[in-house]
Amino acid sequence: MTVAERDRALAAFRGLAIGDALGMPTQSMSADEIAADYGRITGFVDAGPHQRIAAGMPAASVTDDTEQAVLLAELLIDGDGRVDADTFARALLAWENRMRARGSLDLLGPSTKAALDRLTRGVPAAEAGRFGTTNGAAMRITPLGIAIGADDLDAFVDAVARTSAATHNTGLGIAGASAVGAAVSAGVAGADTDEAVRLGIAAAALGARHGHWVAGADIAARLRWSIPMLTALAQDRRAEALVQLVGTSVASQESVVAALTIAAVADDAWEALCLAASLGGDTDTIAAMAGAVLGATRGAAAWPEAAVATVERVNDLALPALVDGLLRIRSRGGDAQGASDD
């Protein structure tokens, strides 16, 4: 583990949490509703009057994106880089039960919930996630990107596929997770944002070959189109293009593409996450994924120190210890196994 690797890995996990917290009060709202309740998002704010999922949550609170990433990180560390599907399923169900007991509506996403229901009925892990096309695997993949290097991209994508299979065993779900995970892994290794996103696109193309086929636009192809398209637009036209042309729904081919496109064209990392939080749709997840990539490629300088301190204090996050554990796996060459189907 080098100082530079730790700086970037910690900034990736913090970027995920910061983006998640910025998008918490705006998730599942339209851009017009966001503007009416909050104006322009420029920092952490309390959940407003029209926020249903995160109703009543205070400013800088994180959602399931960060919490499930922390859960995966803990399981990876406990399993020395491996997480079997049954253990992962039990951990996710236990997490949801804790959220439900607290009165939270921020529960498991549609693909994950349906897959876990099938697992509990005895459906094999390889089949349980065969309909999972949403961004649940991508939103929580950052710990794997920290723990495993992507020099051997085929092996890395294989690890992502095994980690995702229990809930998102489709080409779309795995491609989305591969794109985010590989971009984070490349950033931790020292790549700049352009290099990391290019590797993410290549990983998405490989990931699309895994899992069950489902109809949907190819994530790698959409990224090759969306990044130059957004780059060519004036700053004041980018939000509209992201909403109308790329899309901001929970579908991997929309939200993952939006997140990596935002990261690819970002001048200022903080402003990029504020933009993501203002778009409408799955804002917390889009901002979280973009934040993970920007943190990995730009390091601690990407995030205001006050924002880091606030999000870690409000959510009682112990990210340095998690990152150190993940980097110890990486320093040993990484298991490159991810979650097994055993």
Side-chain angles (χ1 to χ4, degrees), residues 207-261:
R209 303 173 188 171
H210 288 262
H212 296 275
W213 180 86
V214 289
D218 183 80
I219 289 173
R222 296 204 80 213
L223 280 164
R224 294 189 196 102
W225 156 77
S226 64
I227 294 171
M229 180 273 294
L230 211 69
T231 301
L233 292 177
Q235 291 279 355
D236 60 358
R237 295 184 58 200
R238 289 180 174 180
E240 181 182 31
L242 284 164
V243 172
Q244 295 187 355
L245 300 177
V246 177
T248 60
S249 76
V250 299
S252 292
Q253 65 269 35
E254 293 192 2
S255 52
V256 172
V257 174
L260 266 69
T261 301

Side-chain angles (χ1 to χ4, degrees), residues 49-106:
H50 297 101
Q51 176 50 242
R52 297 172 297 278
I53 297 175
M57 291 181 71
S61 297
V62 298
T63 77
D64 58 330
D65 300 76
T66 303
E67 292 183 356
Q68 288 189 33
V70 167
L71 178 63
L72 178 58
E74 292 170 342
L75 293 173
L76 284 166
I77 292 167
D78 289 345
D80 197 25
R82 293 183 63 94
V83 182
D84 71 84
D86 288 338
T87 299
F88 194 27
R90 287 194 299 270
L92 285 171
L93 287 170
W95 171 84
E96 184 179 50
N97 288 334
R98 291 194 299 273
M99 295 301 102
R100 203 185 301 278
R102 284 162 42 184
S104 174
L105 296 177
D106 202 4

Side-chain angles (χ1 to χ4, degrees), residues 263-281:
V265 305
D267 293 323
D268 180 273
W270 173 263
E271 290 298 326
L273 301 196
C274 290
L275 169 67
S278 304
L279 293 174

Side-chain angles (χ1 to χ4, degrees), residues 106-205:
D106 202 4
L107 305 175
L108 294 170
S111 293
T112 299
K113 181 61 176 175
L116 294 182
D117 285 344
R118 287 190 285 273
L119 279 170
T120 58
R121 296 199 308 268
V123 175
E127 294 297 316
R130 67 173 299 146
F131 304 107
T133 61
T134 53
N135 56 28
M139 78 179 192
R140 59 182 177 243
I141 201 65
T142 288
L144 190 73
I146 295 171
I148 298 178
D151 290 340
D152 183 340
L153 194 58
D154 287 296
F156 181 86
V157 171
D158 286 347
V160 172
R162 284 187 290 268
T163 303
S164 307
T167 57
H168 294 79
N169 194 18
T170 65
L172 282 173
I174 294 167
S178 296
V180 175
V184 168
S185 184
V188 172
D192 64 22
T193 306
D194 288 344
E195 293 169 332
V197 171
R198 281 198 298 271
L199 192 71
I201 294 171

Side-chain angles (χ1 to χ4, degrees), residues 291-329:
V293 174
L294 286 168
T297 57
R298 302 190 183 188
W303 312 125
E305 291 182 6
V308 171
T310 298
V311 80
E312 292 190 345
R313 173 181 54 79
V314 168
N315 300 284
D316 194 26
L317 294 173
L319 298 182
L322 283 178
V323 165
D324 287 345
L326 294 169
L327 286 175
R328 282 193 290 272
I329 297 170

